[in-house]
Amino acid sequence: MASRPSLTQVAEQVGVSPATVSRAFNRPELLNAATRERILSTAKRLGFRPNKVGSSLRSGSTRTLGLLLPTLANPVFAACFEGAEMAALDAGYSVMLATTGYDSERERLAARSLLDHRVEGLILTVADPADSATLGELGSSGVPFVLAYNESDCHPCVSVDNRAAAADMVSHLAAQGHRQLAMISGPLAASDRAVHRLAGAMACAETLGLPPPIHVSMSRHTAADRGRLKELLAAPQPPSALFCSNDLLAAAVIAELATLGLRVPDDISVCGFDGMDFGALMVPSLASVHQPSTDIGKHACRELLAALAGRPSRSRRLPHWLFDGGTITAPGSP
Amino acid sequence: MASRPSLTQVAEQVGVSPATVSRAFNRPELLNAATRERILSTAKRLGFRPNKVGSSLRSGSTRTLGLLLPTLANPVFAACFEGAEMAALDAGYSVMLATTGYDSERERLAARSLLDHRVEGLILTVADPADSATLGELGSSGVPFVLAYNESDCHPCVSVDNRAAAADMVSHLAAQGHRQLAMISGPLAASDRAVHRLAGAMACAETLGLPPPIHVSMSRHTAADRGRLKELLAAPQPPSALFCSNDLLAAAVIAELATLGLRVPDDISVCGFDGMDFGALMVPSLASVHQPSTDIGKHACRELLAALAGRPSRSRRLPHWLFDGGTITAPGSP
DNA sequence: CCCCAGACTGCAAACGTTTTCATTGCCATG
DNA sequence: CATGGCAATGAAAACGTTTGCAGTCTGGGG
């Protein structure tokens, strides 16, 4: 009921100037201990909390960061948020989250809205940093930003080395005896990660003298996808292992294979990329290239905060590692 | 570089008063078409966007909603966010998200921070609405709020009927021939949902003349949990079906059972509660009581917006439904 | 020709802070 | 006793908007 009193009201209650009340909260050491206590106690009594809107306007700083992610339906991004939130909180910042659903128009609009709210910096994942309207607008806005998951030479970014990571997985599969692989991804236009992972897999296969992996792009859980999978397996040289460019997709593929009567890994090996927590709970557990999503969020946030503090933010390449789950086995086991 | 120009600067560029520029954006119909165009075009040329901080301060409305959830690691809450974000966006609102990690202190602090940012309303999920410090503070703040997932008689909330939903699942299990059930939950103190689900299961079992379900509370993925599960299965009358109070837990339990050499559903049936998208991708697919998480977020947001518009927000009980996945079968099948 | 109703625009006061610059005592120093 | 320095506080301007009120035109009706 008692709609929040203002600093001024507290001031006149106590009988001091607004400036003094402000100082009681921001520079308490400047005040006479007695006045400070007097102010703090009546502030509490009245239920006063400093209004950040006023404060932001005057100080020019909102202490808010923007986070722009494709979707929270992918636990990877959810983890990224939590990492970023943690780091932001530690620094006294709040975060304003928006999702784009992989839609570039929504992305542009959301970024604009975030800027309108005067976030001091932005962490975001775009389809392709080399060609992004959003990044263009952002650049000319002067608001610092850090890319998460994307890899770029021209912008600060925090990610794993997607090419190397994919190559590692291909090596691992080859070591198990697999030769013909397939790489399954979503639409490449929606994710530079998928592009890099595919490139890494291809390059590694070539180095190892494997036949080039077959690339299959699944649109969005349409019936056509099911057909494409069937077709892939009916090829003259069907792959013995499916490398999916993300864990969610891997899970979907495994489920799809099950409906086709194929068992993983007995009939075919499958692996993913991301390392979502959930993969470890699957039975068998999902083999996958793990990336430290929480840390990606955390470090992206730290770099952003660094930029806000004047230090330039540097790109960080975080380590990935293979999780050798039960969905991979040597080809042709009983 | 060009740090955002202000409305005033646009005004003097165009040679009109700030008021006119303001109107060009908010009440364009009031302006002479020519002036309007002149303003809009120079505004665009200068890269001007109205500063929401100034606007919020003057108008007293931030057009921002707060969302306070336990964790995004549970995809249920992620879906809730996306639903809420959608509804908020439709109404021209932004959302500020914070997570609590099921920690009541973090919860209190986060709520306070949200209020400090002057969100106009709050959507939140608390441990127990009947006894929540956060809700207390919120109440005296005068900021409208809507509970999501929680059930309460004293506060507006959007949820399923957890008791009835759990009862439905128990009926289903009984119909399959199960008699001795176990209910597995997280710490009851952290979730009134778990409490209600347990109560619903118990009541239904009694009605149907089944022996009372055994309740097992798993703390947080500790080694002790594994022991508790083992112990449960070694009981004189071991349960033939495990009803987990959420899907994430169900997945963990299934993984745990696998390490104990038990197959689901051949050796034991398992089911969950939530209906996270992921469950359908598991092999076998996870039987579960589904709740419409996205809609919960969406409706919670709508109710909140209603409150902001003066209409009182009403509690909504959304429908649940059983997803009869492959993790349940009649007891004692080969 | 006068008057009045629009239509359009400007003035200036808010909104709740922060912060620079002064002001006031007061005490110690010379 | 004058001086200077320090500690504690206040006055007032500024941040970028919105908005009630008042002002200026224009044109049409009487």
Side-chain angles (χ1 to χ4, degrees), chain A residues 7-276:
Chain A
L7 184 151
T8 324
Q9 317 202 27
V10 176
E12 51 194 34
Q13 265 286 321
V14 183
V16 299
S17 84
T20 307
V21 178
S22 172
R23 284 189 272 254
F25 283 87
N26 302 319
R27 319 275 315 268
E29 71 279 8
L30 288 186
L31 290 196
N32 177 306
T35 8
R36 191 197 320 132
E37 290 319 315
R38 211 147 42 89
I39 293 177
L40 258 27
S41 82
T42 39
K44 177 163 297 177
R45 182 165 52 79
L46 299 185
F48 166 78
R49 303 241 68 214
N51 184 331
K52 284 220 180 212
V53 178
S55 146
S56 294
L57 181 57
R58 164 63 218 222
S59 70
S61 137
T62 57
R63 308 233 81 178
T64 301
L65 266 25
L67 189 42
L68 188 52
L69 296 171
T71 172
L72 252 39
N74 190 331
V76 163
F77 294 121
C80 176
F81 168 86
E82 300 215 320
E85 187 196 21
M86 239 178 271
L89 205 65
D90 282 348
Y93 277 75
S94 298
V95 12
M96 195 159 242
L97 173 65
T99 63
T100 69
Y102 292 100
D103 179 291
S104 64
E105 187 57 11
R106 260 178 72 187
E107 179 182 294
R108 239 165 42 86
L109 262 33
R112 211 173 266 180
S113 159
L114 257 11
L115 292 182
D116 286 354
H117 277 285
R118 262 38 185 191
V119 296
E120 296 181 32
L122 218 51
I123 299 171
L124 74 173
T125 302
V126 300
D128 178 8
D131 165 42
S132 161
T134 305
L135 246 42
E137 283 196 27
L138 253 187
S140 63
S141 83
V143 172
F145 63 92
V146 174
L147 294 168
Y149 296 100
N150 293 122
E151 293 181 70
S152 165
D153 295 327
C154 341
H155 304 298
C157 57
V158 176
S159 73
V160 297
D161 182 338
N162 283 289
R163 276 190 201 75
D168 283 356
M169 180 56 96
V170 168
S171 298
H172 177 67
L173 290 168
Q176 299 275 311
H178 293 278
R179 291 195 46 84
Q180 181 63 67
L181 309 178
M183 181 97 198
I184 305 191
S185 73
L188 291 185
S191 162
D192 65 328
R193 285 82 70 206
V195 173
H196 292 144
R197 290 166 196 172
L198 178 59
M202 291 289 191
C204 178
E206 177 160 11
T207 303
L208 297 178
L210 302 183
I214 307 164
H215 175 228
V216 177
S217 171
M218 301 268 195
S219 25
R220 278 240 177 286
H221 285 279
T222 64
D225 291 342
R226 183 193 210 110
R228 229 164 319 204
L229 198 55
K230 233 171 178 164
E231 195 175 298
L232 171 68
L233 300 173
Q237 292 283 347
S240 59
L242 308 180
F243 184 6
C244 304
S245 85
N246 69 67
D247 282 356
L248 228 39
L249 189 54
V253 163
I254 292 174
E256 198 61 45
L257 290 170
T259 72
L260 297 176
L262 292 175
R263 305 190 65 89
V264 175
D266 302 329
D267 299 322
I268 188 167
S269 291
V270 176
C271 60
F273 197 121
D274 276 347
M276 61 180 193

Side-chain angles (χ1 to χ4, degrees), chain B residues 7 22 26 51 58:
Chain B
L7 185 151
S22 172
N26 302 319
N51 184 330
R58 164 62 218 221

Side-chain angles (χ1 to χ4, degrees), chain B residues 96-148:
Chain B
M96 196 161 243
L97 172 65
T99 63
T100 70
Y102 292 101
D103 178 291
S104 65
E105 187 56 12
R106 261 178 73 186
E107 179 181 295
R108 239 165 40 87
L109 262 33
R112 210 173 267 180
S113 159
L114 257 11
L115 292 183
D116 285 353
H117 278 284
R118 258 44 184 189
V119 297
E120 295 181 33
L122 218 50
I123 299 171
L124 74 174
T125 303
V126 300
D128 178 7
D131 164 41
S132 162
T134 305
L135 247 42
E137 283 194 27
L138 254 186
S140 63
S141 82
V143 171
F145 63 93
V146 174
L147 294 168

Side-chain angles (χ1 to χ4, degrees), chain B residues 38-286:
Chain B
R38 212 147 40 90
I39 292 176
L40 257 29
S41 83
T42 39
K44 177 163 299 179
R45 182 164 52 77
L46 298 185
F48 167 78
R49 303 240 67 215
N51 184 330
K52 284 219 179 212
V53 178
S55 146
S56 294
L57 181 57
R58 164 62 218 221
S59 70
S61 136
T62 57
R63 308 232 80 176
T64 302
L65 266 25
L67 189 43
L68 189 52
L69 296 171
T71 172
L72 252 38
N74 190 333
V76 164
F77 294 122
C80 175
F81 168 87
E82 300 215 318
E85 187 196 20
M86 240 178 269
L89 205 65
D90 282 349
Y93 276 75
S94 298
V95 11
M96 196 161 243
L97 172 65
T99 63
T100 70
Y102 292 101
D103 178 291
S104 65
E105 187 56 12
R106 261 178 73 186
E107 179 181 295
R108 239 165 40 87
L109 262 33
R112 210 173 267 180
S113 159
L114 257 11
L115 292 183
D116 285 353
H117 278 284
R118 258 44 184 189
V119 297
E120 295 181 33
L122 218 50
I123 299 171
L124 74 174
T125 303
V126 300
D128 178 7
D131 164 41
S132 162
T134 305
L135 247 42
E137 283 194 27
L138 254 186
S140 63
S141 82
V143 171
F145 63 93
V146 174
L147 294 168
Y149 297 100
N150 293 122
E151 294 181 69
S152 166
D153 296 327
C154 342
H155 304 296
C157 58
V158 176
S159 73
V160 297
D161 182 337
N162 285 289
R163 276 190 202 73
D168 284 356
M169 180 55 96
V170 168
S171 297
H172 177 66
L173 290 168
Q176 299 276 313
H178 293 277
R179 289 194 47 83
Q180 180 63 63
L181 310 178
M183 181 97 198
I184 305 190
S185 72
L188 290 185
S191 163
D192 65 328
R193 287 81 72 205
V195 173
H196 292 144
R197 290 165 196 172
L198 178 58
M202 292 288 191
C204 177
E206 176 160 11
T207 304
L208 297 178
L210 303 183
I214 307 164
H215 175 228
V216 177
S217 172
M218 300 268 193
S219 25
R220 279 242 175 284
H221 285 279
T222 64
D225 291 343
R226 182 190 213 114
R228 226 161 323 201
L229 198 57
K230 230 169 178 169
E231 195 175 298
L232 171 68
L233 300 173
Q237 292 282 345
S240 59
L242 309 180
F243 184 5
C244 304
S245 86
N246 68 67
D247 282 356
L248 228 38
L249 189 54
V253 163
I254 291 175
E256 199 60 45
L257 290 171
T259 72
L260 297 176
L262 291 176
R263 305 190 64 91
V264 175
D266 301 329
D267 298 323
I268 189 167
S269 290
V270 176
C271 60
F273 197 115
D274 276 348
M276 61 178 190
D277 292 344
F278 208 88
L281 299 181
M282 292 172 60
V283 180
S285 62
L286 179 62

